[in-house]
């Protein structure tokens, strides 16, 4: 990939000698990749200074740019080493990092008064992270299904174009020469290629929408879950009630007896039963709110 970008240094130097630009020539670097990092730092300043003066498309500018790329490849190797052990081919990671290096060289200016290494590393690391983000699955999926996902996408596009509609599982299975069950399994596995956080912010169409997150729009609230939480909190509070208070609650809310019926069974007035129930419920409410005091 980058052999073509860098080209033949010997030929570029020869072309430079013939260019006759009238400016002081750049030093010839026999093997830019072998330049020590400390020397590369000073040489890079010279090459960047000259690069800013040269016109696009000239052989000397091509030589300066390509030499800068080769001299600073150690930065890419250094950045790529931070991602060792991710399971990907390191050469792919390095090649991706080279894209970041080239972007940094094309955008760097000596007037920034910052070392090129400090300027370039964020570009290099950014490209490598983008590579992992674009090529890494969000969840673990068997290699067989990862490979089938690509074939399935091709088959779907082919059939969709031919039929002018979405193909069925049976049609995909026939074209791919696979059992329908395996096609379905691949379709499900494809959902693991990317994911979104439930806390991901969603942008509304206007300020009246406010800021929302994905979780706000997924599923429905289940009232039964709230009841479970309430029962869990209520159980120890019920255990603290007297036997008589628990009996009153059982008659009122389980047996659904009227206050008058409860009064008959307890030998008291309906008004007294009403006061008893209010007192018990108030006690339980304070307990649920963490304010339990004396009844």
């Amino acid at each position: 990939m980058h052999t073509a970008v860098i080209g033949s240094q010997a030929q570029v130097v020869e072309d430079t000698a013939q260019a006759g630009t009238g400016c002081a020539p750049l030093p010839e670097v026999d093997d830019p990749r072998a330049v020590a990092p400390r020397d590369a730092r000073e040489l890079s300043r010279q090459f960047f200074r000259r690069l800013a003066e040269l016109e696009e498309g000239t052989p000397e500018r091509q030589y300066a740019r390509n030499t800068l790329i080769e001299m600073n490849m150690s930065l890419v190797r250094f950045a790529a080493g931070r991602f060792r052990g991710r399971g990907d081919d390191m050469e792919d990671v390095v090649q991706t990092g080279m894209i970041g290096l080239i972007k940094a060289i094309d955008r760097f200016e000596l007037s920034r008064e910052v070392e090129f290494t400090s300027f370039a590393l964020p570009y290099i690391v950014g490209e490598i992270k983008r590579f992992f983000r674009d090529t890494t699955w969000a969840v673990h999926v068997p290699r067989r299904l990862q490979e089938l996902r690509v074939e399935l996408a091709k088959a779907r596009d082919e059939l969709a174009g031919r039929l002018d509609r979405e193909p069925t599982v049976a049609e995909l299975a026939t074209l791919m020469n696979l059992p329908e069950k395996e096609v379905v399994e691949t379709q499900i596995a494809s959902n693991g290629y990317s994911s979104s956080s439930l806390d991901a912010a969603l942008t509304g169409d206007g300020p009246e929408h406010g800021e929302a997150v994905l979780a706000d729009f997924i599923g429905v609230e289940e009232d039964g879950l709230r009841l479970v939480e309430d029962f869990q909190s209520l159980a120890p509070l019920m255990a603290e009630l007297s036997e008589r208070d628990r009996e009153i609650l059982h008659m009122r809310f389980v047996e659904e007896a009227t206050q008058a019926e409860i009064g008959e069974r307890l030998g008291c007035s309906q008004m007294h039963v009403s006061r008893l129930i209010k007192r018990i419920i108030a006690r339980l409410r304070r307990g649920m709110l963490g304010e339990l005091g004396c009844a």
Side-chain angles (χ1 to χ4, degrees):
M1 171 181 175
H2 293 291
T3 302
V5 173
I6 294 171
S8 170
Q9 180 181 319
Q11 183 62 46
V12 173
V13 173
E14 182 179 342
D15 292 341
T16 302
Q18 297 172 357
T21 61
C23 299
L26 285 166
E28 294 185 16
V29 183
D30 294 331
D31 187 359
R33 301 188 188 198
V35 176
R38 181 178 300 177
D39 297 330
R41 199 170 300 169
E42 180 54 40
L43 273 174
S44 291
R45 289 194 191 95
Q46 296 181 41
F47 275 82
F48 274 119
R49 192 174 297 114
R50 193 74 183 87
L51 195 67
E53 301 168 349
L54 296 169
E55 293 183 10
E56 290 280 354
T58 61
E60 188 177 13
R61 192 178 197 284
Q62 181 185 352
Y63 164 65
R65 182 172 181 268
N66 291 343
T67 303
L68 280 166
I69 292 172
E70 289 191 272
M71 276 197 304
N72 290 282
M73 283 182 64
S74 59
L75 288 176
V76 179
R77 297 280 178 189
F78 170 76
R82 295 169 52 182
F83 298 88
R84 195 176 304 278
R86 294 285 294 267
D88 289 80
D89 187 341
M90 283 303 296
E91 192 56 35
D92 289 342
V93 178
V94 170
Q95 292 293 327
T96 301
M98 288 297 295
I99 297 172
L101 174 63
I102 293 170
K103 286 182 179 179
I105 288 173
D106 290 341
R107 298 171 186 177
F108 182 71
E109 297 174 2
L110 284 172
S111 59
R112 295 177 182 272
E113 296 184 355
V114 63
E115 287 288 346
F116 174 66
T117 53
S118 302
F119 179 82
L121 277 173
Y123 280 91
I124 297 168
V125 173
E127 287 296 327
I128 294 174
K129 286 183 176 180
R130 189 174 296 112
F131 166 78
F132 281 112
R133 185 176 67 242
D134 294 343
T135 60
T136 302
W137 286 64
V139 297
H140 176 71
V141 172
R143 173 71 64 178
R144 175 181 63 85
L145 293 178
Q146 292 184 30
E147 294 170 352
L148 277 178
R149 169 186 169 273
V150 178
E151 298 303 317
L152 178 64
K154 292 178 181 177
R156 193 206 68 78
D157 289 343
E158 179 181 337
L159 284 175
R162 190 191 306 171
L163 302 171
D164 198 24
R165 60 172 172 79
E166 281 295 314
T168 65
V169 171
E171 290 166 341
L172 288 168
T174 300
L175 181 61
M176 298 176 69
N177 195 26
L178 289 172
E180 290 185 24
K181 181 180 178 181
E182 196 160 349
V183 172
V184 173
E185 186 181 8
T186 305
Q187 289 176 327
I188 295 172
S190 297
N191 295 329
Y193 186 72
S194 61
S195 65
S196 296
S197 169
L198 291 178
D199 295 322
L202 301 177
T203 303
D205 296 329
E208 70 276 4
H209 290 272
E211 185 171 329
V213 296
L214 186 59
D216 295 335
F217 301 92
I218 296 180
V220 294
E221 186 173 347
E222 176 55 63
D223 291 334
L225 290 177
R226 186 177 298 172
L227 287 174
V228 170
E229 294 178 357
D230 290 344
F231 282 135
Q232 291 295 322
S233 301
L234 196 57
L237 299 175
M238 290 289 291
E240 294 176 1
L241 295 177
S242 67
E243 184 67 30
R244 183 169 177 266
D245 287 349
R246 287 198 298 271
E247 183 182 0
I248 292 173
L249 291 179
H250 187 275
M251 287 189 288
R252 182 69 185 92
F253 297 105
V254 178
E255 298 179 12
E256 298 184 347
T258 65
Q259 292 182 0
E261 292 171 340
I262 296 172
E264 290 178 7
R265 293 166 64 174
L266 294 179
C268 59
S269 68
Q270 179 266 332
M271 187 65 69
H272 185 61
V273 171
S274 176
R275 287 197 296 268
L276 288 173
I277 292 175
K278 287 181 181 178
R279 177 181 59 79
I280 298 169
I281 291 176
R283 175 185 173 89
L284 293 175
R285 182 181 292 113
R286 290 197 303 272
M288 293 285 285
L289 296 175
E291 301 171 357
L292 184 58
C294 31

